[in-house]
Amino acid sequence: MSESIKYLLQEQDIPTHWYNLVADLPEPPAPVLHPGTGQPVTPDDLAPLFPMAVIMQEVSQDREIEIPEPVREALAQWRPSPLCRARRLERALDTPARIYYKYEGVSPAGSHKPNTAIAQAFYNKQEGVKRITTETGAGQWGSALALAGSFFGLEIEVYMVKVSFDQKPYRRAFMETFGATCVASPSDQTESGRAILKEHPNSNGSLGIAISEAVEMAAKRDDTKYALGSVLNHVLLHQTIIGQEALRQFEMADDYPDMVIGCTGGGSNFAGIAFPFIGRKLRGEQDIEVVAVEPANCPSLTKGKYAYDFGDTAHLTPLAKMYTLGSTFVPPGFHAGGLRYHGMAPLVSQLTALNQIAPRAYKQAECFDAGVEFAKAEGIIPAPEANHAVKAAIDEAVRCKETGASKAILFNLCGHGHFDMQAYTDYFAGKLYDQEYDESEVAMALAGLPSVATG
Amino acid sequence: MSESIKYLLQEQDIPTHWYNLVADLPEPPAPVLHPGTGQPVTPDDLAPLFPMAVIMQEVSQDREIEIPEPVREALAQWRPSPLCRARRLERALDTPARIYYKYEGVSPAGSHKPNTAIAQAFYNKQEGVKRITTETGAGQWGSALALAGSFFGLEIEVYMVKVSFDQKPYRRAFMETFGATCVASPSDQTESGRAILKEHPNSNGSLGIAISEAVEMAAKRDDTKYALGSVLNHVLLHQTIIGQEALRQFEMADDYPDMVIGCTGGGSNFAGIAFPFIGRKLRGEQDIEVVAVEPANCPSLTKGKYAYDFGDTAHLTPLAKMYTLGSTFVPPGFHAGGLRYHGMAPLVSQLTALNQIAPRAYKQAECFDAGVEFAKAEGIIPAPEANHAVKAAIDEAVRCKETGASKAILFNLCGHGHFDMQAYTDYFAGKLYDQEYDESEVAMALAGLPSVATG
């Protein structure tokens, strides 16, 4: 083997600590506010929904937070994930760039989501919780939490948006294989679900409704808590294991990325790969360009406003300062369901406001072009979300060819597309077109931002 | 990490040679016969269909055959595959057994099939072939060859059984992503296809018809050859990389299996894991029990006859001596489509006749019970074929609990179930039942065996 294409660590090399970006920020994050009082939320405010260990991570300022040994052992089922050098793609593009990808699709759920699902399940189990509720759209997060629940002996109850529940029976079967309960939302099991069904008996559901149902169930039962798969600080923290592994793998490769790329929906896979590198930059250790790629039809970072907003459509959550298109904005449908969120993680938003991240938006058809080019060269069919990162990496590599620059480009291949083949079927049938988002809807949603946002 | 659960080799540890069991057999394999003359087929007879390098491997008696460097480099995309210790499953079963599985689902096509697809594509490319035709049933083999064609710049034309083509659009999209052409069989592109369509315009197709179409296309075009995904000696040879890696990984684990288990359809994944261990046994180096698991409703090894038979329903192939249910027998439908074959690889058949392999048959529902139990403990949803091996491993581990024996059990987890979730959906809906095979149909098929078979 003349040229390495994979950099593999052993299971004992799984990082022992998560990296907390907050410790290296030039200014502390804007506080999360209680929507009623406008005052910062306290750990006690969140206690009905999350275990205390998770809440303390949410507000921690420590640079390193130890990963419990049972979490490392569960992650060892698939971690460390490989860092791959895309030599075949480089040859196909005839580029002087060195393209690397961290492949998170090796997890049993097929994406990076189990990195935090495992941790959250562990802390819930440790604090005596019996059941975790959550919502899922396309099913990636629900699948990850189902897996984690199975590993730690917790009941998992997933409220799945009804239209997806009906369209994606395989994701439901995946969750049920791990013993989780998957309920079409709106359901008749919650007050919020029943209220919707009373008014709209044939409701297709929405992520906002599903969140309401999951939160309601968690809040009203002592043995039950709630889990979220992105956006919050502790979720991003748990994902930093990705970038930390990559740092060690670049040492093995005797290289260092000039640019790191991730796709961004809520922000967790992006943060996972990028934060450890951004931390080194903020500490003055090593410079790097950072690119966040979002869908052109849900462009929170490139077209949104940096302001206080709700995390959900139904306005049950606290207010967070973030780039947002307005919590009442409903993005048009596209296949990268994991990127269909009106806001952006507060930490990713803050870094963008600080010009530490260059955001970029692509339409879905050009992302699928890139994904298919990648698959043909590298053998892996990316998830539609990951195609956004692939597109940016290929664009950069082509630019290197034009300029002759030999950059090292790293991107996060956050998941495979095995459960998204309908999207590829549509693509090959020429049925993949972009439904443009409505700028006036965004303007209206932004006009309706809560008043604290003006501060 | 107190206890290892994965034994990982680096890409430079990919074996440099395939292991050829023929060298260690107590007697040479029965020759493959020309159905017209009854005489052994010559390399020249096979030259229209296969590249000469592959034909020479088919008849080779050398113990070791060097793996070309470009094949090793292509395999390095995912190989070596992990050897995993199923510690969570052991705890769930409360067994003193040590359960190991070699996980072939890490390949981009999700199964062991690319191990031979890559090698066959390489040899075809080397001999100037432009196009490879093949057939596929459920789609695993077609997917693997599509991937290999993409790596080596070959056109791949897959004749996919029409009923599967219609029912499994995702497998088709998978192949098309890698640039392969996927044609519903019977098609109007071949004489054999047109003949069938003339008589049965709404034919659902069959593997036999698809083979006929693929072989016809390969035979009539100089730049085109044909590839098979199982049964033949060279295919089994290419899979021995699995067992060879496992041997090295057991050294890392400081252990050695008492029993090795594989599911058997055509025999290739079974041969891949088992032959290197059987070779050591045949050479008197180390004893081992070997279990081949087949579906109860296509029981070639446990209920078939060891005789000369055709490889296909349409009787276009040469005659091989193997355990067979009769080439005209059509097995009832079940979800483990990869095990739905009337015969068994000649080398696996010979070992079974020599009592070197203990065959065993299971019904599909009990295999899914085992697969779900495995998934809950280990996080991986096995393919329906692999569930047969899982079932045997769990049965053995439970027996160890009863007897107190602390055996080391190795099985081949030959693929994941991401493209088989409909089977799991049926299972959870209680719709998974066995359609019993018809013994009188087998008796009739066996009565019709070609006359040479009596010799």
Side-chain angles (χ1 to χ4, degrees):
Chain A
M1 215 71 46
S2 50
E3 297 180 318
S4 283
I5 61 166
K6 291 196 307 295
Y7 300 93
L8 295 184
L9 298 167
Q10 298 289 337
E11 58 195 37
Q12 58 270 25
D13 301 323
I14 293 174
T16 55
H17 293 73
W18 290 299
Y19 164 65
N20 184 7
L21 177 89
V22 172
D24 289 319
L25 285 174
E27 51 196 75
V32 171
L33 304 181
H34 192 288
T37 64
Q39 293 302 306
V41 293
T42 65
D44 283 350
D45 289 335
L46 300 170
L49 293 184
F50 300 105
M52 197 45 71
V54 160
I55 294 170
M56 296 323 288
Q57 290 177 355
E58 186 65 22
V59 297
S60 170
Q61 312 226 356
D62 298 340
R63 180 173 288 120
E64 298 203 313
I65 296 176
E66 192 170 4
I67 306 177
E69 203 52 24
V71 171
R72 291 182 73 227
E73 279 169 16
L75 293 173
Q77 199 282 345
W78 73 96
R79 298 210 77 87
S81 70
L83 177 73
C84 304
R85 174 84 184 267
R87 292 193 189 269
R88 249 184 243 100
L89 179 63
E90 291 169 16
R91 283 197 291 271
L93 297 172
D94 189 24
T95 175
R98 303 184 299 289
I99 308 174
Y100 296 87
Y101 57 96
K102 182 78 170 157
Y103 185 35
E104 289 294 307
V106 293
S107 90
S111 79
H112 63 292
K113 293 285 186 191
N115 295 334
T116 183
I118 294 281
Q120 293 192 53
F122 167 78
Y123 289 119
N124 274 285
K125 182 72 179 183
Q126 205 184 30
E127 297 188 20
V129 173
K130 296 270 180 286
R131 188 186 299 104
I132 306 178
T133 62
T134 198
E135 71 288 335
T136 200
Q140 294 246 28
W141 168 241
S143 298
L145 197 64
L147 170 78
S150 165
F151 277 14
F152 287 102
L154 288 159
E155 289 177 42
I156 304 294
E157 204 169 281
V158 182
Y159 290 86
M160 187 169 183
V161 177
K162 184 161 186 304
V163 59
S164 297
F165 182 92
D166 292 339
Q167 283 174 352
K168 302 205 167 192
Y170 297 167
R171 274 291 180 191
R172 179 189 162 193
F174 191 100
M175 294 180 241
E176 288 181 350
T177 301
F178 292 104
T181 308
C182 185
V183 180
S185 167
S187 77
D188 60 3
Q189 303 188 8
T190 65
E191 282 176 36
S192 37
R194 286 189 294 270
I196 299 279
L197 287 174
K198 194 173 169 189
E199 208 157 329
H200 307 285
N202 298 317
S203 166
N204 272 332
S206 74
L207 213 46
I209 296 168
I211 292 177
S212 305
E213 292 204 279
V215 167
E216 180 187 324
M217 281 308 240
K220 81 176 171 197
R221 290 196 300 209
D222 279 348
D223 61 354
T224 303
K225 299 224 181 273
Y226 168 75
L228 198 70
S230 191
V231 180
L232 299 182
N233 296 359
H234 68 272
V235 179
L236 276 52
L237 176 79
H238 299 157
Q239 295 292 356
T240 57
I241 203 165
I242 303 172
Q244 289 184 90
E245 287 178 3
L247 275 167
R248 288 196 60 171
Q249 289 164 315
F250 269 100
E251 283 174 25
M252 292 172 75
D254 197 18
D255 205 347
Y256 195 84
D258 297 293
M259 175 180 277
V260 58
I261 298 168
C263 63
T264 46
S268 77
N269 98 78
F270 169 82
I273 189 101
F275 280 11
F277 290 94
I278 294 175
R280 298 199 72 212
K281 183 182 177 188
L282 291 172
R283 296 194 301 273
E285 292 171 20
Q286 193 136 10
D287 201 16
I288 194 163
E289 284 180 272
V290 183
V291 176
V293 191
E294 59 185 12
N297 285 301
C298 192
S300 56
L301 284 177
T302 52
K303 298 287 178 69
K305 188 170 171 182
Y306 187 41
Y308 270 101
D309 197 4
F310 290 96
D312 69 324
T313 319
H315 295 181
L316 293 176
T317 70
L319 297 169
K321 192 169 180 191
M322 57 181 177
Y323 278 92
T324 178
L325 297 162
S327 62
T328 59
F329 169 64
V330 179
F334 47 78
H335 283 291
L339 307 183
R340 240 179 115 248
Y341 184 64
H342 69 275
M344 184 55 61
L347 288 177
V348 175
S349 296
Q350 185 175 353
L351 286 170
T352 305
L354 290 167
N355 288 317
Q356 293 291 333
I357 295 172
R360 188 184 293 186
Y362 288 115
K363 297 196 169 184
Q364 70 174 341
E366 58 189 340
C367 293
F368 274 83
D369 291 343
V372 170
E373 186 167 14
F374 177 84
K376 281 184 174 162
E378 295 295 313
I380 300 168
I381 301 181
E385 292 83 1
N387 280 343
H388 289 73
V390 173
K391 168 66 177 162
I394 289 181
D395 273 11
E396 199 60 33
V398 169
R399 198 165 300 133
C400 284
K401 186 183 176 181
E402 291 160 7
T403 63
S406 174
K407 277 191 186 176
I409 301 165
L410 165 66
F411 72 92
N412 197 20
L413 189 62
C414 60
H416 62 60
H418 297 175
F419 293 96
D420 304 284
M421 293 311 296
Q422 185 59 49
Y424 282 88
T425 301
D426 291 351
Y427 171 78
F428 288 117
K431 289 184 192 159
L432 204 74
Y433 56 89
D434 274 78
Q435 191 187 341
E436 305 274 332
Y437 79 100
D438 187 330
E439 290 186 26
S440 66
E441 279 182 30
V442 169
M444 210 182 331
L446 289 177
L449 286 180
S451 55
V452 68
T454 58
Chain B
M1 214 70 48
S2 50
E3 296 179 320
S4 284
I5 62 166
K6 291 196 308 294
Y7 301 93
L8 294 183
L9 298 167
Q10 299 289 338
E11 58 195 37
Q12 57 270 27
D13 301 323
I14 293 174
T16 55
H17 293 73
W18 290 298
Y19 165 66
N20 184 8
L21 176 89
V22 172
D24 288 320
L25 285 174
E27 52 196 74
V32 171
L33 304 181
H34 192 289
T37 64
Q39 295 300 306
V41 294
T42 65
D44 284 351
D45 290 335
L46 300 171
L49 293 184
F50 300 105
M52 198 45 73
V54 160
I55 294 170
M56 296 322 289
Q57 290 178 357
E58 186 65 21
V59 297
S60 171
Q61 313 226 355
D62 299 340
R63 180 172 289 119
E64 298 204 313
I65 296 177
E66 191 170 3
I67 305 176
E69 205 50 26
V71 171
R72 292 182 72 227
E73 280 170 14
L75 293 173
Q77 199 281 345
W78 72 96
R79 298 210 76 85
S81 70
L83 176 73
C84 305
R85 173 85 184 267
R87 292 192 189 268
R88 248 183 243 101
L89 179 63
E90 291 169 16
R91 284 197 290 272
L93 297 172
D94 189 23
T95 176
R98 304 183 299 289
I99 307 175
Y100 296 86
Y101 57 97
K102 183 78 170 156
Y103 184 36
E104 290 294 307
V106 293
S107 90
S111 79
H112 63 293
K113 293 286 186 191
N115 295 334
T116 183
I118 293 284
Q120 293 192 55
F122 167 77
Y123 289 119
N124 274 285
K125 182 72 178 183
Q126 205 183 30
E127 296 188 22
V129 173
K130 297 270 179 287
R131 189 185 300 103
I132 306 179
T133 63
T134 198
E135 72 287 335
T136 200
Q140 293 246 27
W141 167 242
S143 299
L145 197 63
L147 170 77
S150 164
F151 276 14
F152 287 102
L154 288 159
E155 290 177 41
I156 304 294
E157 204 168 282
V158 182
Y159 290 86
M160 187 169 182
V161 177
K162 184 161 186 302
V163 59
S164 297
F165 183 92
D166 292 339
Q167 283 174 353
K168 301 206 167 190
Y170 297 166
R171 273 291 180 193
R172 180 189 162 192
F174 191 100
M175 294 181 241
E176 289 181 349
T177 301
F178 291 104
T181 308
C182 185
V183 181
S185 167
S187 78
D188 60 5
Q189 303 188 9
T190 66
E191 284 176 36
S192 39
R194 286 190 293 271
I196 299 279
L197 287 174
K198 195 173 170 191
E199 208 157 328
H200 307 285
N202 299 317
S203 167
N204 272 332
S206 75
L207 213 45
I209 296 168
I211 293 177
S212 304
E213 292 205 275
V215 166
E216 180 187 324
M217 281 308 240
K220 79 176 174 200
R221 289 197 300 209
D222 280 349
D223 61 353
T224 305
K225 298 220 181 277
Y226 168 76
L228 198 70
S230 191
V231 179
L232 299 181
N233 296 358
H234 69 270
V235 179
L236 275 53
L237 175 80
H238 299 157
Q239 295 293 355
T240 57
I241 204 164
I242 303 172
Q244 291 182 89
E245 287 178 4
L247 275 168
R248 289 196 59 171
Q249 289 164 315
F250 270 99
E251 283 175 24
M252 293 171 74
D254 198 18
D255 205 346
Y256 195 84
D258 297 291
M259 176 181 277
V260 59
I261 298 168
C263 63
T264 47
S268 77
N269 98 78
F270 169 82
I273 188 99
F275 279 11
F277 290 94
I278 295 176
R280 298 200 71 211
K281 183 181 177 189
L282 290 172
R283 296 194 300 274
E285 293 171 18
Q286 192 136 10
D287 201 18
I288 193 163
E289 282 180 274
V290 182
V291 176
V293 191
E294 59 184 13
N297 285 301
C298 191
S300 56
L301 283 177
T302 52
K303 298 287 179 68
K305 188 172 171 181
Y306 187 41
Y308 271 101
D309 197 4
F310 291 96
D312 69 323
T313 319
H315 295 180
L316 294 175
T317 70
L319 297 169
K321 192 169 179 190
M322 58 183 178
Y323 278 93
T324 178
L325 297 163
S327 61
T328 58
F329 168 64
V330 179
F334 47 78
H335 283 291
L339 308 183
R340 241 180 114 247
Y341 184 63
H342 69 275
M344 183 53 62
L347 288 177
V348 174
S349 295
Q350 186 174 351
L351 287 170
T352 305
L354 288 168
N355 289 316
Q356 293 291 334
I357 295 171
R360 188 184 295 185
Y362 289 115
K363 298 197 169 182
Q364 70 175 341
E366 58 189 340
C367 293
F368 275 83
D369 290 343
V372 170
E373 186 167 14
F374 177 83
K376 282 184 174 163
E378 296 295 313
I380 300 168
I381 300 181
E385 292 83 0
N387 280 344
H388 289 73
V390 173
K391 168 67 177 161
I394 289 180
D395 273 9
E396 200 60 35
V398 168
R399 198 165 300 131
C400 283
K401 185 182 176 183
E402 290 158 8
T403 64
S406 174
K407 278 191 186 174
I409 301 165
L410 166 65
F411 72 92
N412 197 21
L413 188 63
C414 62
H416 61 60
H418 296 174
F419 294 96
D420 305 284
M421 293 311 294
Q422 184 59 49
Y424 282 88
T425 302
D426 290 352
Y427 171 78
F428 289 116
K431 290 182 192 161
L432 204 73
Y433 55 89
D434 274 78
Q435 191 188 342
E436 305 274 333
Y437 79 102
D438 188 330
E439 290 186 26
S440 67
E441 279 182 29
V442 169
M444 209 179 336
L446 288 176
L449 285 180
S451 54
V452 67
T454 59

